[in-house]
Amino acid sequence: MSEDDKQAPLDVVRLAGAKARGKRPYFLEDPDVERVLSIAMAIAGELAVLRQRLDTIEELLETRGALTREEIETFVPSPAHAEARGRWHQEYLARILRILQQQAEAQERNDEPTSSEAGAWMLRE
Amino acid sequence: MQATSTMDYDGPPDYRTVGRHALLPNTTHDQAERYNFLAHLNRHLAAQVLPGIAVAYRSEIEPSFRQRHGRAPADRHEVRRALEGHAFYRIWSALRRNAMEMRQQSGLSVVLGQLRELIDRSAGLADQRRLRLDPTLSPPRYLTAVDHHCMPGSYYTERLDQDVSAAANYDSGLFVTTGGLLGRLADGGGRGMVAFLKKLRPDFAPRRILDLGCGLGHNVLPIAAAYPDAQVTAVDVAAPMLRYGAARAASLGVDNVTFVQADAADLSAFEDGCFDWVGSIMFLHETSLAALKRIMAESRRLIAPGGLVTHVEQPRYDASMPLLEQALRDWDAFNNNEPFWTKLHEIDLDQLMVEAGFDRSRLIHEGVHAIADGEGFRDAATEKVEDYGRKPAWRITGAEVPAQGYDAP
Ligand SMILES: C[S@@+](CC[C@H](N)C(=O)[O-])C[C@H]1O[C@@H](n2cnc3c(N)ncnc32)[C@H](O)[C@@H]1O
C-alpha cells in the first residue's frame, strides 16, 4: 500500500469482504452450488441479526414503554434473556440446516424403503 | 424470546459479555449479533453436524475404501481423500469454510470502520518503553505465502500508518471460533499454563520470561500477572499485533511485558541463557520446518540453567489417535490456510528438542486446557463437543534444563 493510500478514506465494505491470500478450495461437486450456499448462509445470518434486533426492540418496549436508537445499540440482555436468545439461535440453526440432520439420520437408517417400494409391498400383502 | 427446547443450555454466551479493555473495537447491536450467529453456527456444525461424518465414515466411507483397495486406509491422508468423496463431509466442509470467511468479513467491517480511533487509542495508551518495533524486519515467507486462517492481510499488513487492524480483528472475532471457551479475555490458554506451572514448580520465581509468537498477547498477560516480579519479553514479527498488544496490556494494568518485534527463529539480540522460562502458545504450527528447528535451537541457547521451556500445541497425530480423528484435525491444514499444521502435528517434537540440545530424560509432556475466566464462560474441561483441532485442549511439549553444576557433564 502506498503512502497516499494510507491517507485516503478506507473503503471499508470492499476491504472487509476481501479474499484471503491462497487459492480457495471448493468442496461441493459443483462450485456454482457452493457459491449459492454461501449466499444462502449470509442471508440466514442477516435474518438472525434482524430477528435479534426485533427481540431487543420488544424487550425495550415492554420494559420501558419507549425506546431510542441509542438504547438498541447499547442493549445488553440479562443472563436469562441472553440464554433464551442463545436457545433461539440453536433452534433457528436446526431449522435452517434441517436437511443435514435428516441426511445424517438417513445414513443410520439406510434400510428404509422408498414410498413406492413400500407401496409395492402393500399390493402384495 | 420464545424457544421451545427444555434441554439445559450449553451454547455460547452472548458476545456482549466478552471482557472489555480500551482497545476492544466497539460493536453496534447488529455487529454483536453477527458474532453471536457465527458462534452458534460453528457450534452447530461441531455439535450437530460433525457426528454425522463419523457415522458416514463407519457405515459407508471406510467399508467402500476397503472394498476398492482390499485393505483399510493406511494414513490420515487416505482417510481425508476418502472423506472428500462423501457428500455429507463436503457440505460440512463448505459450511465450515464459509463460517470462517463470514467471521473475517464481520470482524474486518467492525474494525475498519473505526480504525483511526483505534490507532489513536493504541498510540495514546501503549507505554513506549514497553514497545520495541523493528521496521527493518520483514515477515517470513511462510507467513506471506497464504493468509493464515483466511484472515485477509494476515497479521502483518499495515492498512494505515501505525496500524493495529490485524490485531483488532483477531481480538474482536476470536469469540466466534471457540464460542467463548477461551474465557472473557480469550486468555484461557495462558491461565491453563499458569496452573500447570504452579503445580510443576510451586516455588518457581522466574526473573525473565520469553513468549515466542505472542500475537496480541492474549495468553502472555495472565502469565505476566501471575509472576509480577518477572520481566516478560513477548516477541512477534508483526507490528500491528505488538502495537495493539502493548496498548491492551496497559489498558488491563499489566506493566511487566515488553512487546518486541523480532523473529523467533533469530533472537541474536538476546544473550545466551538470559531467560528462566521460554514458552510458546499455539505458535509453532504457524511457522515452517526450517524455522521450527531454529526456534528450538534458539530456545536452548536462551534458556538459563535451571530454566524451563514449554511449547503448547494441539495433540500430536500418534499411533494411538484414530485415523479419522487425525484426518478431521487436519481439516484446517488443507481448508483454512494452515499450511504447516499437518506436518507440525505429525513430527516428533521430542526428537527436535533433543537435536537442539535438550536432555531426553528431562523432557516434559502434559495436557493443558483453557481455563475460562468470567461468568457464563465454560472451561474446555467441561466441554463435551469435539471441534477437532479447535477445542482449547492442548499438549505441552517441553524440557527442564539442569541448574548449573547439577548433573552437568
Ligand atoms: C496463532 S498466533 C499466536 C497466538 C498467541 N501466541 C496467543 O497465545 O494468543 C501466531 C503468531 O505468530 C507470529 N509469528 C509467525 N512467525 C513468527 C516468527 N518467526 N517469529 C515471531 N513471531 C512469529 C504471527 O505474527 C502471529 O502473531
Side-chain angles (χ1 to χ4, degrees):
Chain A
M1 208 175 266
S2 79
E3 285 312 304
D4 280 356
D5 287 343
K6 289 188 183 175
Q7 301 311 319
L10 289 175
D11 184 348
V12 172
V13 175
R14 189 181 57 82
L15 289 174
K19 176 186 170 302
R21 188 176 164 76
K23 190 169 277 152
R24 188 195 198 278
Y26 277 86
F27 303 93
L28 304 188
E29 272 174 354
D30 183 345
D32 291 341
V33 174
E34 187 158 340
R35 284 186 277 271
V36 177
L37 175 69
S38 270
I39 295 170
M41 290 310 292
I43 296 172
E46 292 307 305
L47 181 59
V49 169
L50 190 61
R51 185 64 186 81
Q52 296 291 350
R53 191 174 180 95
L54 190 58
D55 180 70
T56 299
I57 293 173
E58 287 171 0
E59 175 73 13
L60 288 171
L61 285 177
E62 194 166 82
T63 53
R64 305 186 195 180
L67 58 82
T68 63
R69 275 175 211 275
E70 175 68 12
E71 283 172 324
I72 298 174
E73 298 307 336
T74 56
F75 174 76
V76 179
S78 70
H81 189 192
E83 190 176 308
R85 286 164 71 117
R87 280 178 192 281
W88 177 87
H89 256 125
Q90 292 182 328
E91 296 184 19
Y92 173 73
L93 280 163
R95 286 193 293 273
I96 295 275
L97 297 176
R98 170 195 46 78
I99 194 66
L100 297 191
Q101 179 186 338
Q102 296 186 353
Q103 191 181 357
E105 288 179 12
Q107 290 172 163
E108 294 189 82
R109 306 206 304 254
N110 56 12
D111 54 348
E112 290 172 345
T114 65
S115 182
S116 69
E117 283 163 353
W121 299 343
M122 267 146 227
L123 295 183
R124 274 184 263 126
E125 273 162 26
Chain B
M1 209 161 196
Q2 296 291 324
T4 46
S5 170
T6 53
M7 308 267 287
D8 279 348
Y9 180 69
D10 64 353
D14 189 276
Y15 179 74
R16 299 165 186 88
T17 55
V18 300
R20 304 261 133 201
H21 54 78
L23 263 279
L24 190 75
N26 296 320
T27 42
T28 64
H29 178 280
D30 292 2
Q31 288 171 333
E33 291 302 343
R34 280 191 192 99
Y35 285 155
N36 281 334
F37 169 76
L38 291 170
H40 277 281
L41 175 58
N42 278 322
R43 166 100 186 168
H44 183 93
L45 292 176
Q48 310 298 332
V49 182
L50 187 53
I53 292 175
V55 173
Y57 187 71
R58 280 194 306 274
S59 64
E60 287 178 51
I61 302 171
E62 224 254 63
S64 86
F65 183 98
R66 279 177 188 275
Q67 208 155 49
R68 255 178 299 132
H69 297 87
R71 60 171 175 83
D75 61 27
R76 67 182 187 282
H77 300 294
E78 286 192 350
V79 172
R80 170 169 48 86
R81 284 190 281 269
L83 287 170
E84 284 167 358
H86 196 276
F88 198 70
Y89 175 82
R90 289 201 302 263
I91 196 157
W92 170 75
S93 296
L95 289 167
R96 202 181 199 216
R97 168 81 187 203
N98 206 64
M100 182 54 84
E101 290 171 351
M102 288 167 85
R103 171 259 173 272
Q104 293 300 341
Q105 182 181 36
S106 300
L108 284 172
S109 64
V110 165
V111 166
L112 298 180
Q114 55 190 301
L115 184 52
R116 288 200 160 80
E117 292 86 335
L118 290 172
I119 289 173
D120 288 347
R121 285 218 290 281
S122 97
L125 258 171
D127 178 343
Q128 295 310 316
R129 288 163 310 172
R130 294 270 171 238
L131 179 62
R132 296 216 305 265
L133 298 182
D134 175 3
T136 66
L137 189 73
S138 42
R141 212 172 70 85
Y142 57 78
L143 273 190
T144 56
V146 296
D147 288 339
H148 278 86
H149 33 77
C150 299
M151 187 167 72
S154 186
Y155 300 100
Y156 55 83
T157 294
E158 309 247 355
R159 295 178 170 93
L160 292 176
D161 259 356
Q162 308 298 313
D163 196 10
V164 295
S165 58
N169 173 34
Y170 190 102
D171 196 21
S172 172
L174 190 52
F175 168 90
V176 163
T177 313
T178 59
L181 287 178
L182 294 172
R184 55 191 286 276
L185 286 168
D187 61 0
R191 287 174 189 272
M193 280 309 287
V194 169
F196 158 78
L197 210 64
K198 295 275 175 184
K199 204 168 133 212
L200 181 76
R201 288 192 177 185
D203 303 322
F204 193 37
R207 283 156 301 138
R208 297 194 63 194
I209 296 174
L210 176 64
D211 181 42
L212 304 169
C214 63
L216 64 93
H218 276 136
N219 288 311
V220 75
L221 292 200
I223 293 169
Y227 296 101
D229 296 330
Q231 283 304 318
V232 181
T233 303
V235 303
D236 201 283
V237 280
M241 304 303 280
L242 297 161
R243 289 187 194 105
Y244 185 97
R248 178 178 177 275
S251 147
L252 290 169
V254 178
D255 64 1
N256 56 333
V257 183
T258 307
F259 289 83
V260 178
Q261 189 172 18
D263 182 346
D266 173 15
L267 294 170
S268 43
F270 298 94
E271 281 168 32
D272 294 5
C274 69
F275 293 100
D276 302 309
W277 180 15
V278 174
S280 77
I281 299 180
M282 291 305 282
F283 160 58
L284 301 180
H285 69 270
E286 289 187 6
T287 62
S288 70
L289 192 54
L292 176 59
K293 289 181 179 166
R294 292 204 304 275
I295 290 164
M296 292 295 185
E298 282 294 70
S299 319
R300 181 65 191 89
R301 181 181 70 76
L302 292 167
I303 198 69
L308 180 76
V309 174
T310 55
H311 298 291
V312 176
E313 287 291 337
Q314 289 281 334
R316 185 179 174 209
Y317 305 147
D318 60 21
S320 72
M321 188 188 283
L323 291 182
L324 175 63
E325 177 172 348
Q326 295 184 23
L328 291 172
R329 286 179 168 278
D330 239 14
W331 189 91
D332 286 275
F334 296 93
N335 304 313
N336 192 24
N337 286 359
E338 288 283 3
F340 188 48
W341 179 277
T342 183
K343 192 72 189 164
L344 187 275
H345 293 98
E346 174 187 296
I347 49 187
D348 182 358
L349 288 180
D350 285 5
Q351 183 57 30
L352 287 189
M353 293 199 69
V354 170
E355 283 165 19
F358 293 96
D359 181 346
R360 190 177 285 279
S361 68
R362 291 181 164 255
L363 296 185
I364 299 170
H365 304 101
E366 191 66 52
V368 62
H369 62 80
I371 297 180
D373 172 51
E375 210 178 317
F377 289 85
R378 287 177 314 119
D379 280 355
T382 69
E383 171 65 311
K384 287 190 267 324
V385 174
E386 181 59 77
D387 193 7
Y388 293 105
R390 296 197 182 164
K391 183 174 173 177
W394 305 283
R395 227 25 233 158
I396 301 170
T397 307
E400 298 198 84
V401 174
Q404 220 141 30
Y406 178 69
D407 78 1

